[in-house]
């Protein structure tokens, strides 16, 4: 990174390919995040609960943008309680 020792949050407004490749949410190897397994279990439980209680349908399909993580742009999702 240019000016790596400085706090420059603006570097993520238009990140370079190198900057995007350098971000690993949980990392890998022996310095891997200790909470990764708990986070994955929590995510699985929450998604299962949502899919059990609600029905989802796509109202408008947008596109995905990558900005540290994927985010949907221009998408609309219909949600209703499951019968």
């Amino acid at each position: 990174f240019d000016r790596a020792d400085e706090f420059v949050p603006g570097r993520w407004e238009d990140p370079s390919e190198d900057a995007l490749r350098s971000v690993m949410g949980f990392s890998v190897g022996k310095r891997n995040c200790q909470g990764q397994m708990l986070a994955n279990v929590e995510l699985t439980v929450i998604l299962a609960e949502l899919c059990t209680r609600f029905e989802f349908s796509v109202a408008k399909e947008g596109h995905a943008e990558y900005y540290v993580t994927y985010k949907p742009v221009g998408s609309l999702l219909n949600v209703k309680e499951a019968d």
Side-chain angles (χ1 to χ4, degrees):
F1 289 109
D2 184 38
R3 298 169 30 209
D5 293 331
E6 296 178 35
F7 179 68
V8 186
R11 76 177 81 223
W12 295 105
E13 290 174 1
D14 187 25
S16 67
E17 286 297 317
D18 288 337
L20 292 174
R21 282 196 303 271
S22 70
V23 177
M24 290 185 238
F26 288 112
S27 193
V28 293
K30 65 181 182 178
R31 302 213 188 282
N32 193 3
C33 176
Q34 294 179 359
Q36 179 178 2
M37 187 175 293
L38 176 61
N40 286 335
V41 169
E42 287 177 336
L43 180 62
T44 302
V45 169
I46 290 169
L47 282 174
E49 199 64 32
L50 285 171
C51 291
T52 300
R53 294 182 183 196
F54 299 96
E55 293 178 11
F56 299 91
S57 61
V58 177
K60 179 182 174 188
E61 192 168 326
H63 66 280
E65 285 186 4
Y66 185 75
Y67 182 77
V68 181
T69 60
Y70 280 107
K71 75 176 182 182
V73 176
S75 302
L76 291 177
L77 191 64
N78 290 328
V79 181
K80 70 175 191 170
E81 283 192 64
D83 296 330

